[in-house]
Each structure stands twice: as structure tokens, then as C-alpha cells.
């Protein structure tokens, strides 16, 4: 569309002089449109001011002589400016009327030019400068509008301040979180608009924007920070603040992006709690027990005291579980937990180790007989019958007792010796307690025998891999497979990893065993592909010992080159707990694997010291929900909530989510309803040999398999 320059001029000679002087502008597509009366000009400009008309933007500028037949002086300018303030206006003035022209400029005109200087140099130069400024202003306005829309559309709050700490901007989300409208916040001190305190001490925290300006660097809030809104409502937040610089590099202020993390922090705290507590009984789990045991030993050393530990296993619990069902068994375990709590002091710890095993930590033992007194009290309490629905259940326990420092100098040794003593109590007739005695440590000899056999197992070819599919929960198609190591002992038969992996880690055998597993898994996956079976990821577990060993990344690269398997077809499963161990070196290794396109999965998610910051810091592709959460999702609201939260978190972080331990239709239905993409477990398939898995892939029609009827020891 052609652009017009509107000329309001009564005298034809003056109009012709303007046309002649602006002749060079015609090359830029501008046409001079001459109008003599103000009323006619207003009618013409009304079209330019109407966004619904085609002529809405065809007037680029207005050149006006303020003295027209129907309008004179500043009134002429005011009438035009009120109608089209967005169009640049140049005043053409006689020298005698220069003061009126200056007044027009003060009221919004772009500039004025004396008629005596309306030559072919000054007039085009003035008009071009005016048009350029108008174009720049329009572009700047459009950019600001675009930025405003963008900042008001994002889910995070944005706040900016000048170098003196006064608020200069607040977007819509920021208005909601702070309770301050943008207009009222503007010019206020940032401490008034953005009030933050420590969640624990309630003390005012140094404002991060002050630090960003002072230190001239990007900073963030300290953890557990609370924003106090204008009306007093409190919100958990996290933020990032960066300084703002002018074109000379000088700090002129700061901008902060912050968000409400109340729900996320609640989930994180809940997951952290569950990572240290047993989901069934709400007792401290093994992790928390180890922490408290370490603290108790340190205090005992300081005060020259002893620490007692009772390792308790219920007698014939499996018979009750099998005959009355898991629901009754779980309720019995909860009742046992309640009675154990009632038998000890508040300073003592009752922990569930798993299954029907419990540990009681006596933090302060002043007399040698104190552990025995506690054991007798516990045995008597557990003998009393349990009323569960219509069932009257009777249960007893066997207890092994150790004391620190006599029976061990560290937590691991104490637990191991207490476990040995408990088995001595069972061998002695059950429903009794036994102090640890080194001369009858039969299980220690058994463990040593297993260790000796394991050292020879790899060379003798006794290790093998079983394979369990991972299923798309919508289509039922196999999308990946996990490689699970088994030990086919010549005398003991098939040995699960639960019996030998810990020994392998303690003795250093885990590195060669892990390398064998990785090589065999890659070789087998490539072999399936060579048989024209569908290409898919194969997952293999990696221990912290392997991950932190020198040359691990080079070893993975060599195995992939040797077997010819594409890196994207390999997924390494890492446990959550060791991500916190030497995090700096861990992230370097994981980033190197990620650069190779090797997939990374976080196994048993939620059972360790869960932290959302690790999910952001490490290049994790897949979250595997631990089977302990999946097991009770149909009956336990807490587990259901955690599983739902992990699924949502995975989606938000663009990670795959795999639910482990899917064994029932009810679990599958729940996971599908929550949008969990993938699952793995006995409901679909048992772990199987390579040939069995190849046959399964060959006949797979996209539907889930019939639930597995047999059971192989879990990985």
C-alpha cells in the first residue's frame, strides 16, 4: 500500500514549494496529498485512524501550516493530534509564529520548520528524520508489547528493579504471587513488594536482587525460602536473579524469575520422608536406621557408654501370609510395629528392614542386662494374640542381640552380627533371644563359601542373563527389555543377584561381572537385530563401583564398537542413592555417556534420598518407579499419590517413566489412568532366556501376554 504524506496548506504557492522540495521522497514510495481545510484533513485522517478500514495505515506523516481558513493557531494542531497521535506531525511555521510552533512541539509534534527554510535539503532531511524516529518508536513499542505479552504468558513470575532497588516491572504471575498490582508496585522498594523469610528460622533473608546488583552475577534464593504476599499468605518459592547492564556494561538493575514450588516441595518432602521410612508401617527404614546408629555410636564413644541392637524376625510369618493372604499379613506387620514402638523409649529407634524383619536400636545402654530386658519385654508383647477381622492370629519372634563396641565397630558389622545371632535364636527353638557369639557364626562361613564360588563363576561360564520386557501400557507392545543377571551354580542351582551382588561389590568382583553383563547384553541385542527382530533399548544395571571406576566410559564405547550396537539401543540403569556420591565426577561421567547417545535411567526412583535438583542436574532419560510403590497403588493412597506425582514429574521433565513390579490388572488399570507410558513386571512376562525372548518378539501381536504363572527371583 502506498504511503502518503498529508500536507495541510492553504497557499498553493507554499504547497507547490513543499511538493518540489519533497520530490526526492517519491523514490521511496511516498505521495504528497494536499488538503487546504482543517475539516477536510480531519475527515481524511479519520480514515487513517480507523483500524477496520484499508486506509488505516496509509498516512505516514502530516505536514501542517497551523493557520488555515477554518482553523488557526495551536487549535489546529490540537484537533489533529487528538485524532491521530500515532502519526508524526511536522509544523510548517512562519518566523513570526515560531513560538506557537514550539508550543505544538511541546504538546506532541515531532518537530517544526520555518517556511523560510523549506528548501530541497532541509525539508526532506527533516521529514526523513521524523519518519525514521517514528518507525523506530513503532518498532520499539511493538517489541515492548511482544515482550509484555510473552512475560505475561509464561508460568513464572518476573520482577525487575533499578540499581537503587526500586521496582520497575512486575508481570501478571508476579502480581498474583506478591499480591501487588503492577501500577502500585512500580517505584516501591523491592523489600516491600518481595518479602522473603527463611522457612525454619523465620528470619528475613538478604534479597537476592541486592546480591545480584552488588556482585554483578547471577544468583539464586537459598533453599526453603518463603515469600510473604501482601495479604500475609505464604508461598514456597525458588528463583534466579541476573543483573541488567547498559550498553557500556554498567549494572543498571536486576531481573528475577521466581515460581511457586509449594506443591513440588511438598511432594519432594513426602518422597524424602518415604525414602527414610517404610511405607507399610511408617517405621524408619534401613537408611534412617544407619544414620541414627552412626549418631548413637558417636555419642556412646563421647560418653563412654554402649549401644544395643536387637535384630528381630517373626517366626513362621510366611505361613500366616500364605494361608491368610497378603492383606492380613500386612495388617499383622503394622500391628507388630505398633507393639514394638510401645516397648521402647522415645530415644530408641524401631526400624523395619523389609519383609518380617525389624531392628530395635537402644541408643543408651547403661547396664549389660538392658538389651535382654528389652528383648524379653518385646517377646512378651508380641505373644499376645492379634485380632484382625474375624481372625485371631498368634505370632512370635526370634531376636539376635549385639552391643557396640563389643560386637562390631561399624553399622554394617553390627547389623550382620545381629542377623547371625537372630538365626542362632531360630536354630535354638524360636520365640527367644540370643546374644551374638563369634564361635557359632555359621552364616559367616556360608557367606565365605559363596564368595569363593563367585570368584570362579565368571571363568567357568556359570553367569547368564535373563530378559524381562518393558511394555507400552497403551498398545501392549514391547518397547524395551531389561537384562537381569543370574548365577547358575552347579550345586545351589539358580542364584538370584540378591544373594551375590552385595558380595561382588564388597570384594571388587562387581567390575568384571558388570563388564560381562554389559558386553553380553549388547551382543545379544545386536544378535536379535541381525535376526530381523525389532530394534529396541536393552537396559543393564550399573553399580556405583563401576560408574566411578577409571575408564568406564571408554569401556562402554569399546563394547559398543565391538558388538556393533547403536548407543541409542543401550540404556544404563543407575540407582538413586549413588547420584549423591561424588556428584561432580558422577555428572561428568553421565554427560559423557549422554554425548555418546547412551540412554540413562534412574532405577528404584523414590527409595533413595530423592532430590529434584538431581533430576535437573543429571542427564536422565528415564525414571523407573520402584516396585515398592507400585505394589500397593490400588489400596494405599500414599503410594498412589507418589506414583501419580512421579508420572507427572516425568512428563514435565520430558522423561520416560517405567513402572516396575506390575503384577495385577488393578495396578495396570491405575497406571493407564495416570498416563504412565511404560511398565514392567510379572503381569506381562517373567524374566526369560534369550531364546524365549526371541520367540516372544517373533510372535508378538501388540497385546499384553497372559500374566506370568511362574516366579523367578527378582533382580
Amino acid at each position: 500500500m502506498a504511503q502518503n504524506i498529508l500536507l495541510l496548506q492553504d497557499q498553493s504557492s507554499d504547497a507547490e514549494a513543499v511538493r518540489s522540495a519533497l520530490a526526492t521522497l517519491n523514490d521511496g514510495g511516498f505521495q504528497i496529498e494536499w488538503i487546504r481545510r482543517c475539516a477536510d484533513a480531519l475527515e481524511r485522517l479519520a480514515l487513517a485512524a480507523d483500524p477496520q478500514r484499508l486506509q488505516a495505515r496509509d498516512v505516514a506523516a502530516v505536514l501542517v501550516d497551523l493557520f488555515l481558513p477554518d482553523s488557526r493557531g495551536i487549535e489546529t494542531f490540537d484537533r489533529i493530534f487528538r485524532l491521530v497521535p500515532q502519526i508524526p506531525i511536522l509544523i510548517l511555521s512562519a518566523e513570526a509564529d515560531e513560538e506557537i510552533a514550539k508550543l505544538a512541539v511541546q504538546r506532541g509534534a515531532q518537530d517544526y520548520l520555518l517556511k523560510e527554510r523549506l528548501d530541497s535539503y532541509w525539508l526532506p532531511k527533516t521529514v526523513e528524520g521524523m519518519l525514521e524516529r517514528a518507525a523506530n518508536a513503532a518498532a520499539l513499542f511493538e517489541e515492548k508489547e511482544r515482550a509484555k505479552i510473552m512475560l505475561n504468558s509464561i508460568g513464572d513470575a518476573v520482577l525487575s528493579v533499578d540499581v537503587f532497588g526500586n521496582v520497575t516491572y512486575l508481570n501478571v504471575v508476579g502480581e498474583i504471587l506478591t499480591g501487588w498490582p503492577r501500577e502500585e508496585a512500580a517505584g516501591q522498594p523491592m523489600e516491600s513488594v518481595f518479602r522473603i523469610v527463611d522457612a525454619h528460622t523465620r528470619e528475613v533473608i538478604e534479597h537476592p536482587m541486592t546480591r545480584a546488583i552488588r556482585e554483578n552475577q547471577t544468583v539464586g534464593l537459598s533453599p526453603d525460602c518463603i515469600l510473604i504476599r501482601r495479604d500475609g499468605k505464604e508461598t514456597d518459592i525458588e528463583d534466579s536473579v541476573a543483573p541488567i547492564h547498559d550498553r557500556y556494561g554498567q549494572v543498571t538493575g536486576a531481573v528475577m524469575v521466581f515460581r511457586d514450588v509449594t506443591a513440588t516441595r511438598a511432594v519432594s518432602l513426602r518422597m524424602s520422608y518415604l525414602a527414610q521410612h517404610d511405607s507399610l508401617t511408617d517405621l524408619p527404614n534401613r537408611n534412617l536406621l544407619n544414620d541414627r546408629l552412626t549418631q548413637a555410636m558417636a555419642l556412646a564413644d563421647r560418653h563412654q557408654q554402649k549401644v544395643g541392637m536387637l535384630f528381630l524376625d517373626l517366626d513362621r510369618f510366611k505361613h500366616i501370609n500364605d494361608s491368610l493372604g497378603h492383606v492380613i499379613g500386612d495388617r499383622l506387620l503394622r500391628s507388630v510395629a505398633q507393639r514394638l514402638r510401645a516397648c521402647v523409649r522415645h530415644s530408641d529407634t524401631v526400624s523395619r528392614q523389609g519383609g518380617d524383619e525389624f531392628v530395635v536400636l537402644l541408643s543408651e545402654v547403661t547396664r549389660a542386662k538392658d538389651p535382654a530386658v528389652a528383648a524379653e519385654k518385646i517377646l512378651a508383647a508380641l505373644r499376645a494374640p492379634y485380632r484382625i477381622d474375624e481372625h485371631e492370629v498368634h505370632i512370635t519372634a526370634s531376636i539376635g542381640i549385639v552391643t557396640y563396641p563389643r560386637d562390631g565397630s561399624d553399622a554394617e558389622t553390627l547389623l550382620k552380627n545381629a542377623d547371625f545371632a537372630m538365626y542362632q535364636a531360630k536354630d535354638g527353638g524360636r520365640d527367644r533371644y540370643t546374644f551374638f557369639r563369634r564361635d557359632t557364626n555359621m552364616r559367616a562361613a556360608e557367606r565365605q563359601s559363596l564368595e569363593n564360588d563367585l570368584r570362579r563363576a565368571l571363568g567357568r561360564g556359570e553367569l547368564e542373563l535373563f530378559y524381562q520386557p518393558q511394555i507400552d501400557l497403551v498398545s501392549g507392545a514391547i518397547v524395551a527389555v531389561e537384562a537381569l543377571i543370574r548365577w547358575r551354580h552347579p550345586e545351589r542351582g539358580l542364584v538370584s543377584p540378591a544373594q551375590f551382588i552385595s558380595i561382588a561389590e564388597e570384594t571388587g568382583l562387581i567390575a568384571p561381572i558388570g563388564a560381562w553383563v554389559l558386553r553380553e547384553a549388547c551382543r545379544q541385542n545386536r544378535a536379535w537385530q541381525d535376526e530381523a527382530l525389532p530394534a529396541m533399548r536393552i537396559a543393564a544395571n550399573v553399580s556405583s563401583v563401576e560408574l566411578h571406576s577409571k575408564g568406564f566410559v571408554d569401556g562402554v564405547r569399546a563394547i559398543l564398537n565391538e558388538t556393533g550396537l547403536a548407543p541409542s539401543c543401550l540404556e544404563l540403569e543407575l540407582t538413586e542413592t549413588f547420584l549423591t556420591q561424588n556428584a561432580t565426577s558422577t555428572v561428568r561421567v553421565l554427560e559423557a555417556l549422554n554425548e555418546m547417545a547412551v540412554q540413562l535411567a534412574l532405577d528404584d526412583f523414590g527409595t533413595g534420598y530423592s532430590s529434584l535438583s538431581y533430576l535437573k542436574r543429571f542427564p536422565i532419560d528415564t525414571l523407573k518407579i520402584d516396585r515398592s510403590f507400585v505394589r500397593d497403588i490400588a489400596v494405599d493412597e500414599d503410594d498412589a499419590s507418589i506414583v501419580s506425582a512421579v508420572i507427572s514429574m516425568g512428563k514435565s521433565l520430558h522423561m520416560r517413566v517405567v513402572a516396575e513390579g506390575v503384577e495385577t490388572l488393578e495396578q495396570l488399570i491405575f497406571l493407564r489412568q495416570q498416563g504412565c507410558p511404560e511398565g514392567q513386571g510379572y503381569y506381562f512376562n517373567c524374566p526369560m532366556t534369550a531364546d524365549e525372548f526371541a520367540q516372544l518378539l517373533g510372535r508378538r501381536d501388540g497385546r499384553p501376554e497372559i500374566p506370568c504363572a511362574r516366579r523367578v527371583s527378582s533382580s
Side-chain angles (χ1 to χ4, degrees), residues 327-557:
V327 174
I328 299 299
D330 287 348
R331 291 177 62 183
L332 175 59
L333 290 174
R334 284 193 284 265
S335 297
V336 168
Q338 292 174 358
R339 294 190 185 186
L340 290 175
R341 280 199 194 98
C343 290
V344 300
R345 302 163 298 184
H346 289 296
S347 58
D348 298 328
T349 297
V350 178
S351 168
R352 183 182 178 217
Q353 296 293 285
D356 59 343
E357 293 181 339
F358 298 83
V359 170
V360 177
L361 173 63
L362 306 176
S363 57
E364 297 178 2
V365 173
T366 57
R367 299 173 300 174
K369 66 177 184 178
D370 285 350
V373 171
E376 289 172 353
K377 184 177 181 180
I378 289 171
L379 292 175
L382 297 184
R383 290 188 196 108
Y386 300 80
R387 195 70 186 174
I388 304 176
D389 294 339
E390 71 277 11
H391 305 286
E392 184 177 280
V393 181
H394 295 266
I395 194 78
T396 59
S398 299
I399 300 176
I401 302 175
V402 293
T403 58
Y404 171 82
R406 186 191 67 184
D407 298 322
S409 59
D410 56 75
E412 181 182 358
T413 302
L414 288 170
L415 280 168
K416 179 180 65 176
N417 291 342
D419 187 21
F420 294 157
M422 180 271 294
Y423 276 97
Q424 294 166 15
K426 282 191 179 294
D427 293 341
R430 298 185 174 88
D431 190 22
R432 57 180 294 172
Y433 65 86
T434 300
F435 281 89
F436 173 72
R437 297 193 305 274
R438 298 182 183 277
D439 57 345
T440 57
N441 191 353
M442 298 296 295
R443 291 194 67 197
E446 170 70 10
R447 182 192 179 286
Q448 187 61 48
S449 174
L450 198 64
E451 178 184 327
N452 293 336
D453 290 346
L454 182 60
R455 292 183 181 278
R456 296 186 289 266
L458 189 59
R460 293 177 177 178
E462 296 173 1
L463 300 180
E464 62 181 279
L465 294 184
F466 277 56
Y467 303 89
Q468 187 173 39
Q470 294 175 4
I471 308 297
D472 184 309
L473 296 187
V474 176
S475 67
I478 297 175
V479 293
V481 61
E482 182 177 2
L484 305 171
I485 188 171
R486 300 290 184 264
W487 178 12
R488 197 173 293 279
H489 193 281
E491 298 173 359
R492 303 171 189 268
L494 203 60
V495 182
S496 78
Q499 296 174 265
F500 66 86
I501 287 298
S502 61
I503 298 176
E505 289 178 337
E506 294 170 8
T507 57
L509 293 172
I510 193 65
I513 290 176
W516 177 86
V517 169
L518 190 58
R519 180 176 289 102
E520 178 63 16
C522 292
R523 184 203 63 77
Q524 184 60 68
N525 195 5
R526 180 64 195 185
W528 285 327
Q529 295 179 25
D530 291 341
E531 294 171 12
L533 294 173
M536 63 181 62
R537 303 188 317 275
I538 188 165
N541 285 281
V542 177
S543 71
S544 60
V545 176
E546 296 174 81
L547 190 79
H548 293 139
S549 63
K550 186 178 181 181
F552 175 74
V553 174
D554 291 337
V556 173
R557 184 181 291 106

Side-chain angles (χ1 to χ4, degrees), residues 9 31 55 112 169 191 211 234 251 324 350 651 676 696 704 713:
Q9 177 63 256
Q31 300 295 324
Q55 301 97 324
Y112 75 92
Y169 178 77
E191 293 83 2
R211 285 182 52 214
E234 298 184 353
V251 177
L324 299 181
V350 178
K651 291 179 180 178
C676 184
L696 176 65
S713 298

Side-chain angles (χ1 to χ4, degrees), residues 2-72:
Q3 292 277 282
N4 295 329
I5 295 178
L6 202 63
L7 173 62
L8 274 70
Q9 177 63 256
D10 181 38
Q11 299 296 324
S12 58
S13 59
D14 290 342
E16 188 57 37
V18 170
R19 284 179 182 274
S20 177
L22 294 179
T24 57
L25 292 180
N26 290 336
D27 296 338
F30 291 100
Q31 300 295 324
I32 309 301
E33 185 176 347
W34 177 35
I35 298 178
R36 304 181 68 166
R37 295 170 53 84
C38 185
D40 295 337
L42 293 175
E43 183 178 348
R44 172 66 180 87
L45 289 171
L47 299 177
D50 186 353
Q52 302 301 320
R53 295 178 180 269
L54 291 176
Q55 301 97 324
R57 303 186 66 173
D58 68 341
V59 177
V62 176
L63 277 59
V64 57
D65 186 334
L66 297 179
F67 292 88
L68 301 172
D70 59 343
S71 181
R72 302 184 66 79

Side-chain angles (χ1 to χ4, degrees), residues 98-379:
E98 186 173 5
E99 292 303 318
I100 300 176
K102 290 180 179 179
L103 178 60
V105 172
Q106 293 175 6
R107 295 194 182 189
Q110 284 282 320
D111 206 344
Y112 75 92
L113 198 63
L114 297 178
K115 293 179 182 180
E116 291 77 4
R117 305 190 70 175
L118 295 182
D119 55 33
S120 59
Y121 175 78
W122 283 109
L123 183 58
K125 184 176 181 64
T126 303
V127 172
E128 287 175 347
M130 179 176 69
L131 292 175
E132 183 177 352
R133 290 194 301 274
N136 290 339
L140 180 61
F141 177 80
E142 187 175 324
E143 188 66 25
K144 286 183 177 180
E145 284 297 297
R146 188 181 298 113
K148 183 190 300 183
I149 292 172
M150 181 184 69
L151 291 174
N152 285 331
S153 299
I154 64 176
D156 291 343
V158 179
L159 171 70
S160 66
V161 299
D162 59 25
V163 73
F164 303 107
N166 297 318
V167 175
T168 57
Y169 178 77
L170 190 64
N171 72 345
V172 172
V173 180
E175 290 180 319
I176 295 171
L177 291 183
T178 63
W180 281 80
R182 183 186 312 159
E183 294 77 11
E184 293 184 35
Q188 294 287 336
M190 57 187 171
E191 293 83 2
S192 299
V193 177
F194 192 78
R195 297 169 53 206
I196 48 177
V197 298
D198 184 273
H200 304 296
T201 65
R202 307 300 298 181
E203 294 181 356
V204 175
I205 299 174
E206 181 187 15
H207 207 291
M209 301 189 90
T210 302
R211 285 182 52 214
I213 293 172
R214 182 180 68 241
E215 300 173 8
N216 192 16
Q217 64 178 2
T218 300
V219 300
L221 276 175
S222 57
D224 301 324
C225 180
I226 291 178
L227 169 66
I228 302 179
R229 203 167 68 175
R230 194 177 189 182
D231 61 5
K233 179 182 177 182
E234 298 184 353
T235 305
D236 293 333
I237 62 167
E238 64 180 18
D239 82 343
S240 177
V241 185
I244 301 173
H245 302 94
D246 61 18
R247 60 180 177 172
Y248 304 108
Q250 298 298 313
V251 177
T252 61
V255 62
M256 173 170 59
V257 178
F258 59 101
R259 64 194 60 84
D260 181 352
V261 294
T262 304
T264 303
R265 192 168 289 172
V267 171
S268 180
L269 289 173
R270 178 60 180 164
M271 293 182 67
S272 179
Y273 178 84
L274 291 176
Q276 300 183 66
H277 290 80
D278 172 55
S279 60
L280 177 65
T281 63
D282 207 34
L283 292 175
N285 62 11
R286 189 187 304 269
N287 292 330
L288 186 53
L289 174 69
N290 286 340
D291 288 345
R292 293 187 178 176
L293 178 55
T294 301
Q295 294 174 11
M297 290 189 297
L299 287 174
D301 291 339
R302 188 179 307 162
H303 301 297
Q304 299 298 307
Q305 293 180 334
K306 296 181 175 63
V307 175
M309 180 184 292
L310 282 60
F311 196 106
L312 180 152
D313 184 271
L314 300 181
D315 298 327
R316 299 187 177 89
F317 174 77
K318 185 177 184 302
H319 172 73
I320 295 174
N321 218 25
D322 292 343
S323 59
L324 299 181
H326 292 287
V327 174
I328 299 299
D330 287 348
R331 291 177 62 183
L332 175 59
L333 290 174
R334 284 193 284 265
S335 297
V336 168
Q338 292 174 358
R339 294 190 185 186
L340 290 175
R341 280 199 194 98
C343 290
V344 300
R345 302 163 298 184
H346 289 296
S347 58
D348 298 328
T349 297
V350 178
S351 168
R352 183 182 178 217
Q353 296 293 285
D356 59 343
E357 293 181 339
F358 298 83
V359 170
V360 177
L361 173 63
L362 306 176
S363 57
E364 297 178 2
V365 173
T366 57
R367 299 173 300 174
K369 66 177 184 178
D370 285 350
V373 171
E376 289 172 353
K377 184 177 181 180
I378 289 171
L379 292 175

Side-chain angles (χ1 to χ4, degrees), residues 415-710:
L415 280 168
K416 179 180 65 176
N417 291 342
D419 187 21
F420 294 157
M422 180 271 294
Y423 276 97
Q424 294 166 15
K426 282 191 179 294
D427 293 341
R430 298 185 174 88
D431 190 22
R432 57 180 294 172
Y433 65 86
T434 300
F435 281 89
F436 173 72
R437 297 193 305 274
R438 298 182 183 277
D439 57 345
T440 57
N441 191 353
M442 298 296 295
R443 291 194 67 197
E446 170 70 10
R447 182 192 179 286
Q448 187 61 48
S449 174
L450 198 64
E451 178 184 327
N452 293 336
D453 290 346
L454 182 60
R455 292 183 181 278
R456 296 186 289 266
L458 189 59
R460 293 177 177 178
E462 296 173 1
L463 300 180
E464 62 181 279
L465 294 184
F466 277 56
Y467 303 89
Q468 187 173 39
Q470 294 175 4
I471 308 297
D472 184 309
L473 296 187
V474 176
S475 67
I478 297 175
V479 293
V481 61
E482 182 177 2
L484 305 171
I485 188 171
R486 300 290 184 264
W487 178 12
R488 197 173 293 279
H489 193 281
E491 298 173 359
R492 303 171 189 268
L494 203 60
V495 182
S496 78
Q499 296 174 265
F500 66 86
I501 287 298
S502 61
I503 298 176
E505 289 178 337
E506 294 170 8
T507 57
L509 293 172
I510 193 65
I513 290 176
W516 177 86
V517 169
L518 190 58
R519 180 176 289 102
E520 178 63 16
C522 292
R523 184 203 63 77
Q524 184 60 68
N525 195 5
R526 180 64 195 185
W528 285 327
Q529 295 179 25
D530 291 341
E531 294 171 12
L533 294 173
M536 63 181 62
R537 303 188 317 275
I538 188 165
N541 285 281
V542 177
S543 71
S544 60
V545 176
E546 296 174 81
L547 190 79
H548 293 139
S549 63
K550 186 178 181 181
F552 175 74
V553 174
D554 291 337
V556 173
R557 184 181 291 106
I559 288 174
L560 290 170
N561 291 335
E562 173 189 331
T563 59
L565 184 68
S568 59
C569 290
L570 173 63
E571 185 172 78
L572 301 181
E573 294 191 357
L574 323 166
T575 57
E576 190 175 0
T577 51
F578 78 78
L579 288 185
T580 60
Q581 302 170 4
N582 198 357
T584 301
S585 64
T586 298
V587 74
R588 284 200 299 265
V589 173
L590 297 189
E591 286 176 348
L593 293 169
N594 183 61
E595 289 175 1
M596 290 168 53
V598 172
Q599 304 292 292
L600 300 172
L602 194 54
D603 198 13
D604 302 335
F605 184 69
T607 60
Y609 290 92
S610 305
S611 173
L612 298 181
S613 64
Y614 285 114
L615 296 185
K616 294 171 62 178
R617 183 176 181 185
F618 296 109
I620 303 300
D621 303 293
T622 303
L623 296 181
K624 299 194 73 175
I625 305 174
D626 186 67
R627 66 184 70 246
S628 64
F629 295 126
V630 175
R631 181 186 62 194
D632 296 326
I633 53 176
V635 295
D636 188 308
E637 292 184 0
D638 287 341
D639 284 352
S641 298
I642 293 300
V643 171
S644 299
V646 174
I647 293 171
S648 298
M649 186 188 310
K651 291 179 180 178
S652 299
L653 297 174
H654 306 292
M655 296 179 181
R656 288 187 296 270
V657 178
V658 181
E660 296 183 294
V662 182
E663 298 189 357
T664 67
L665 178 59
E666 290 78 10
Q667 294 167 351
L668 175 60
I669 292 173
F670 176 89
L671 292 169
R672 280 177 170 170
Q673 290 173 342
Q674 299 303 313
C676 184
E678 299 177 20
Q680 175 182 349
Y682 288 122
Y683 181 79
F684 307 108
N685 301 95
C686 294
M688 60 192 74
T689 65
D691 291 340
E692 290 172 334
F693 184 71
Q695 294 174 13
L696 176 65
L697 281 180
R699 67 171 185 268
R700 192 75 171 181
D701 61 2
R703 294 174 298 174
E705 293 291 308
I706 298 174
C708 183
R710 60 190 174 92

